Amino acid sequence: MENITVRVARKEDCPRLLELIRELAEYENAPQEVTVTLEHFEEKGFGPNPVWKAFVAVTEVDGKEFIAGFALYYVRYSTWKGSRLYLEDLIVTEKWRGKKIGEMLFHQLFQEAKEKQFCGITFQVLEWNEPAINFYKKFQAKFDPEWINVSIEMQH
């Protein structure tokens, strides 16, 4: 098995993270939905007021570090439950799936949530994404069909 480690994301990882985000958007049949620029992505992760954090799964390919996947999260506050880790995306590039990278990233998220004394982890999964649903079921995830996702796009 390859030598895979998990570390905190760095600013210089952002171009690769955006590649993986675009790969996920292709998988979800929505490549046109990725409109974030590299500059905005870097600023919101590593600028003076960062709003997201991430862990990356790295290995070595051809003598260079290679990011095979990542988990990006931010803090969400529930008035009923308290602080929660909100997992925005967990992505493992297709050729590297099946090597327990997703589990490594998920366990790192669990550790982060415990260290920060969050009361839980929240995330979304598309109803048709059976591989992801089955992955999350391994962690006793609770699926809640009662709530409807809502978003409002802001015009700039």
Side-chain angles (χ1 to χ4, degrees), residues 38-102:
L38 177 60
E39 294 75 22
H40 181 81
F41 189 65
E42 288 176 343
E43 171 75 14
K44 296 305 176 184
F46 299 95
N49 298 303
V51 297
W52 63 264
K53 296 181 181 185
F55 294 109
V56 295
V58 296
T59 188
E60 196 171 289
V61 173
D62 298 327
K64 295 181 182 175
E65 185 181 74
F66 176 76
I67 297 174
F70 75 92
L72 186 144
Y73 74 93
Y74 52 90
V75 178
R76 173 181 179 238
Y77 189 82
S78 165
T79 55
W80 288 13
K81 303 287 185 183
S83 294
R84 300 176 76 77
L85 184 152
Y86 188 88
L87 173 60
E88 179 65 25
D89 278 320
L90 189 150
I91 304 166
V92 175
T93 194
E94 187 174 7
K95 291 178 183 174
W96 285 81
R97 292 183 191 148
K99 300 179 186 303
K100 306 280 187 198
I101 294 171

